[in-house]
Amino acid sequence: MVLKHESEAKLLQASKQYDAALKEQDLDKLNGLVDTNYIIHADGITLHADLKGINEAKNYWQAYFDKYTFEHEVLAGAVDKEASAAFCFWLDRNVTPKDESVFDEKLTTKQTLPSHKLGIFKHEFASDGKIKGTWFLRQFSKDEAARKLKNAPNFTEVKVHAPTYKGSGGIEPSEARSQKQDQAAQAYAKIWATGDPSTADAIMAEDVRNVDLLFAHETSGRAEFKSMIHSVFQAWKSEQENREAIAVSAGNKAFLHWTSIGVEKKEGLKNHMYGLEMLVFNEQCKISEILVLRQPLESQKAELFGAEE
């Protein structure tokens, strides 16, 4: 969305300040930025219980600083004024364990090589403009995959060149473009809410890529995307689908936060999960790329995860 209101600019600025705290490893920048009852919501993958209050949040980030060297970079962002939310798509470049002794088990040299991790933050704001909660999902570093996953996906199978997502993609912002992209994002969310991909032809490029950044799976092309939707809903009984927020950037991006409650039909397993996604648009305002970060299904957890740290 083209920023028309001072309140939107404030949300975006607060999101940038949060990232500055990570980039500069200066957690005092969170003082006055987050609410007294601030929560970092558990992603169920790298964090299994909500962190409550600024002290728990600072301890969490300080532990990350203590374990790794990295370069934090913001690639894109957007705000949803109606939902009082701001999104940030970010890259932690060259994530490298500082000292092997901080881990319980011995890792190979290959498992401790530098990693590039992509992630999305979604910050929710209180009425006073302070961040009251942060939702996040991110990729694994090489050492995390080695320690946490029994059956690690082959992350080399999906190619994502992070620098290409920085900024507006050379797109000139306009209100008309923003409205078209918002309509496309709303229609995309409806596909996943209903299981009906009939609108895909109108909102997606023919060669659209759908990339699951956490589970290293990719579909290529509109036809394959529609086939995937049919397959998912054959195996899934939806009980509740919520679009928590949709934010359109001033350039060529849109962000979604969704929650889903349903049952895996074959396994009979109940799921309550969430995801964060970034949509990338082409010159014609059609979705050309979908980058997905989502929680695992209950059936996937046993296959993926080994002993936790």
Side-chain angles (χ1 to χ4, degrees):
M1 178 179 292
V2 178
L3 297 181
K4 297 184 295 182
H5 303 283
E6 183 181 354
S7 58
E8 294 175 354
K10 287 181 177 178
L11 298 182
L12 193 60
Q13 182 57 39
S15 178
K16 289 180 178 178
Q17 187 176 337
Y18 195 100
D19 281 286
L22 304 184
K23 180 180 178 64
E24 299 168 24
Q25 298 190 22
D26 180 3
L27 295 174
D28 285 342
K29 288 185 179 293
L30 299 181
N31 296 338
L33 180 67
V34 303
D35 187 72
T36 305
N37 300 313
Y38 173 65
I39 296 176
I40 295 180
H41 294 277
D43 66 345
I45 302 170
T46 62
L47 180 64
H48 294 279
D50 292 350
L51 301 176
K52 299 179 180 180
I54 189 170
N55 289 333
E56 286 194 12
K58 283 185 174 182
N59 290 340
Y60 173 76
W61 289 120
Q62 188 60 55
Y64 185 61
F65 299 164
D66 292 343
K67 287 183 179 181
Y68 298 99
T69 59
F70 64 96
E71 304 155 35
H72 185 76
E73 180 181 2
V74 174
L75 299 175
V79 300
D80 180 349
K81 179 176 174 288
E82 286 70 28
S84 294
F87 290 83
C88 174
F89 181 57
W90 51 266
L91 167 69
D92 276 0
R93 193 188 303 274
N94 296 319
V95 179
T96 309
K98 286 183 177 179
D99 185 349
E100 195 176 293
S101 65
V102 301
F103 304 117
D104 293 333
E105 60 266 62
K106 177 88 172 167
L107 299 178
T108 67
T109 301
K110 186 177 181 180
Q111 290 169 337
T112 58
L113 288 172
S115 309
H116 300 324
K117 298 194 304 189
L118 291 166
I120 297 176
F121 288 141
K122 182 235 179 172
H123 302 299
E124 296 178 316
F125 292 82
S127 58
D128 62 0
K130 292 183 179 181
I131 300 173
K132 66 178 182 180
T134 297
W135 301 78
F136 78 99
L137 288 163
R138 63 170 176 79
Q139 293 178 305
F140 293 101
S141 58
K142 288 184 173 67
D143 70 281
E144 281 182 314
R147 287 182 291 104
K148 292 178 178 289
L149 303 182
K150 284 195 302 186
N151 298 299
N154 184 359
F155 296 106
T156 62
E157 289 185 353
V158 296
K159 302 296 183 184
V160 177
H161 187 51
T164 62
Y165 303 104
K166 189 162 187 174
S168 62
I171 300 295
E172 187 67 29
S174 73
E175 184 59 28
R177 181 179 183 87
S178 179
Q179 289 177 357
K180 287 181 181 178
Q181 292 177 171
D182 182 64
Q183 290 167 0
Q186 301 282 352
Y188 170 81
K190 189 173 181 180
I191 288 174
W192 279 107
T194 63
D196 178 6
S198 59
T199 58
D201 290 352
I203 64 170
M204 292 182 178
E206 188 173 352
D207 60 350
V208 62
R209 289 179 74 215
N210 183 87
V211 183
D212 189 322
L213 294 173
L214 197 57
F215 298 101
H217 178 71
E218 178 179 339
T219 62
S220 182
R222 204 162 53 205
E224 192 171 344
F225 175 85
K226 290 192 286 188
S227 177
M228 177 188 67
I229 294 293
H230 287 306
S231 296
V232 166
F233 278 83
Q234 285 175 354
W236 174 260
K237 181 182 178 182
S238 177
E239 295 182 354
Q240 184 176 329
E241 305 286 335
N242 287 333
R243 183 206 70 207
E244 303 295 336
I246 292 180
V248 178
S249 75
N252 68 331
K253 315 282 193 317
F255 292 85
L256 292 88
H257 173 209
W258 52 263
T259 57
S260 180
I261 300 174
V263 177
E264 296 175 74
K265 293 178 183 178
K266 181 179 179 181
E267 298 82 0
L269 295 172
K270 183 77 171 277
N271 286 260
H272 189 170
M273 59 193 295
Y274 76 87
L276 300 169
E277 302 188 22
M278 184 175 78
L279 310 180
V280 183
F281 295 88
N282 63 16
E283 292 277 357
Q284 290 73 43
C285 297
K286 291 199 172 187
I287 300 168
S288 61
E289 202 159 3
I290 306 161
L291 301 183
V292 181
L293 286 160
R294 65 168 178 85
Q295 292 181 306
L297 295 164
E298 289 297 323
S299 63
Q300 291 178 309
K301 291 179 181 178
E303 298 173 11
L304 285 170
F305 298 117
E308 292 295 328
E309 264 187 304

